[in-house]
Amino acid sequence: MSLWCDKYRPKTLAELDFNRPQAAMLKKLLANENFPHLAVFGTSGSGKMTRVKALLYELFDVSSTKLRIESKVYEAPSGKKIEQRYVTSNFHIEVNPSESGFYDRVVVQQLLKDVATSDSLSKRHPFKVVVVHEADRLTREAQQGLRRTLEKYVSSCRVILVGERVSRLIPALKSRCLAVRNAAPSAAEITAILQKVATLEDFSSPALPAAIKKIVDGCDGNLRRAILMLQAFACNQEAAGSSSSKNSSTAILSFRWQELINKLATSLVESQSPRKVGEIRTILSELQVHLIPPELVLRLLLLQLLPRCLDGEMSGQLIRLAAAVDQRLALGSKSLIHLELFAVQFMALFRCSIESIAFDLECSMDF
């Protein structure tokens, strides 16, 4: 059984159901021979890759969907061998250099050089396209190398940067790309898309309207997650048969990783002591093992802790702590340490607020 989010993914720009002004702008760019480099950014589940795949389909027709997985070994100046996997067709490559960590600069420079120096097979467009996933996670060295590569091979290669935050790109790289903001769909747009998918699947249930409303409220603007939740609800209904329970529409909203974040937030408020650090590390390690992005963990943990703040001053300090940790997450490589630091800092802040002590990060304190 295929996933509905892949089965009903729009293939062309005209089939997109939201952010249509951006789709119309991309359609005009296709008619221009001087097609620019792009930076497509937006929140998770906002349809960034759907838009990019539709753009590739418009450029290279059905050939862009004939994909294969390849890997190549690159050698760093230190002599270390780096194996990089990527998805490719005859006309484009999709790669995530951030998987190589500190050596992403080597992958970016050598892979783009190999692609740019090869001839394009397309008669309509004399260039190949390189799609860089999670471009906002690239190191500054990799972004500098990518900027130089864009300038050198602009005649034979076009780059599409895909990420969540364009602010994490260096100014020199942003200035060489046309930024395309991919806003998350509204609640009404998600509702219409879910109803459309249910109709195409010929799925109906008395509890469907209520389930769609709960899915829209619980998906946090993530369309991919909403469609997966709808498919999970349909599977539950099919397994339950005609006698479906009222809880079947709420069960799909329960995520283990979200429950862990809620548990962590509750635990931080209940008591504050150095003994909590072991429990914090255990929960954060489990989230890391299940590949939950650290930025998402930080954001949801902040949203759980803000209502538990005692006053406005404490809320402001907590937001400043989260902003500092978010910056460290972008610069560092050990996300577990930074998230653990945020949890410990909140415990210190919470204890200071209770005891009316001035909160000072420069001075250590005993819980």
Side-chain angles (χ1 to χ4, degrees):
M1 181 179 64
S2 61
L3 297 177
W4 291 357
C5 57
D6 295 328
K7 184 177 179 180
Y8 298 109
R9 183 195 295 267
K11 291 184 178 181
T12 63
L13 294 173
E15 296 176 1
L16 296 174
D17 295 302
F18 60 97
N19 288 335
R20 290 180 177 173
Q22 290 86 338
M25 180 194 68
L26 292 175
K27 190 73 174 178
K28 292 180 180 178
L29 289 176
L30 293 175
N32 189 353
E33 296 181 359
N34 190 19
F35 188 79
H37 302 295
L38 298 178
V40 182
F41 63 97
T43 59
S44 178
S46 61
K48 298 185 297 294
M49 277 312 301
T50 299
R51 198 166 301 272
V52 171
K53 288 182 180 294
L55 181 63
L56 292 173
Y57 190 88
E58 300 275 359
L59 282 171
F60 307 116
D61 202 44
V62 73
S63 300
S64 64
T65 62
K66 299 177 181 179
L67 304 175
R68 58 187 182 274
I69 299 177
E70 296 182 359
S71 63
K72 196 168 185 177
V73 177
Y74 299 98
E75 184 175 354
S78 61
K80 180 178 175 62
K81 303 291 184 180
I82 306 146
E83 183 179 4
Q84 178 67 50
R85 285 174 167 264
Y86 52 89
V87 178
T88 179
S89 71
N90 291 333
F91 304 99
H92 84 286
I93 284 181
E94 299 179 28
V95 63
N96 188 351
S98 62
E99 295 175 349
S100 301
F102 178 74
Y103 298 97
D104 55 355
R105 175 179 59 86
V106 178
V107 174
V108 164
Q109 290 181 326
Q110 297 190 20
L111 178 63
L112 264 69
K113 180 179 178 181
D114 295 341
V115 174
T117 53
S118 61
D119 296 331
S120 174
L121 301 178
S122 174
K123 296 181 180 180
R124 295 169 52 194
H125 305 285
F127 56 82
K128 284 190 173 183
V129 176
V130 179
V131 180
V132 180
H133 296 283
E134 297 185 355
D136 51 342
R137 294 178 181 269
L138 294 176
T139 61
R140 294 185 66 87
E141 292 78 9
Q143 293 188 35
Q144 290 287 359
L146 181 58
R147 186 262 302 173
R148 291 190 293 269
T149 307
L150 293 184
E151 294 175 344
K152 186 174 182 179
Y153 299 107
V154 66
S155 61
S156 58
C157 180
R158 295 293 186 276
V159 174
I160 301 178
L161 306 178
V162 182
E164 293 191 5
R165 302 185 186 181
V166 73
S167 60
R168 289 185 174 178
L169 300 180
I170 61 175
L173 186 57
K174 284 191 292 186
S175 64
R176 287 159 176 80
C177 300
L178 175 64
V180 180
R181 181 175 179 268
N182 211 55
S186 64
E189 290 170 336
I190 295 177
T191 301
I193 293 172
L194 293 180
Q195 292 173 344
K196 176 182 176 181
V197 171
T199 302
L200 293 173
E201 279 293 322
D202 195 21
F203 168 66
S204 61
S205 170
L208 181 59
I212 288 180
K213 186 178 185 306
K214 291 179 180 179
I215 290 173
V216 172
D217 294 337
C219 70
D220 194 25
N222 190 322
L223 181 59
R224 179 176 58 252
R225 185 189 302 173
I227 297 177
L228 290 174
M229 292 164 69
L230 177 64
Q231 187 172 6
F233 170 73
C235 292
N236 289 341
Q237 290 287 301
E238 184 179 352
S242 57
S243 57
S244 59
S245 63
K246 294 182 180 179
N247 296 330
S248 60
S249 62
T250 60
I252 56 177
L253 300 180
S254 177
F255 295 99
R256 170 64 178 164
W257 60 274
Q258 287 182 336
E259 293 175 359
L260 286 175
I261 295 177
N262 295 340
K263 177 183 176 182
L264 176 59
T266 303
S267 177
L268 294 177
V269 174
E270 287 178 350
S271 63
Q272 300 82 38
S273 71
R275 291 187 295 271
K276 282 282 185 181
V277 176
E279 180 183 350
I280 293 170
R281 185 170 299 171
T282 300
I283 294 177
L284 293 177
S285 298
E286 186 172 352
L287 292 170
Q288 187 179 52
V289 167
H290 289 84
L291 303 179
I292 306 300
E295 292 82 3
L296 179 60
V297 175
L298 177 63
R299 183 170 68 88
L300 293 185
L301 183 59
L302 175 63
L303 292 177
Q304 289 291 330
L305 294 176
L306 279 175
R308 295 173 165 89
C309 290
L310 302 179
D311 51 39
E313 182 181 357
M314 181 180 175
S315 299
Q317 289 178 325
L318 180 61
I319 292 174
R320 284 192 289 271
L321 292 177
V325 172
D326 184 59
Q327 184 181 21
R328 293 191 185 102
L329 286 174
L331 299 176
S333 58
K334 302 293 184 181
S335 59
L336 183 64
I337 296 177
H338 303 301
L339 292 174
E340 185 179 317
L341 171 66
F342 176 70
V344 173
Q345 287 178 336
F346 173 79
M347 288 195 297
L349 175 62
F350 194 82
R351 177 60 64 88
C352 288
S353 299
I354 291 178
E355 299 180 358
S356 300
I357 302 174
F359 178 67
D360 187 4
L361 283 178
E362 301 298 328
C363 300
S364 60
M365 64 170 291
D366 297 328
F367 289 107

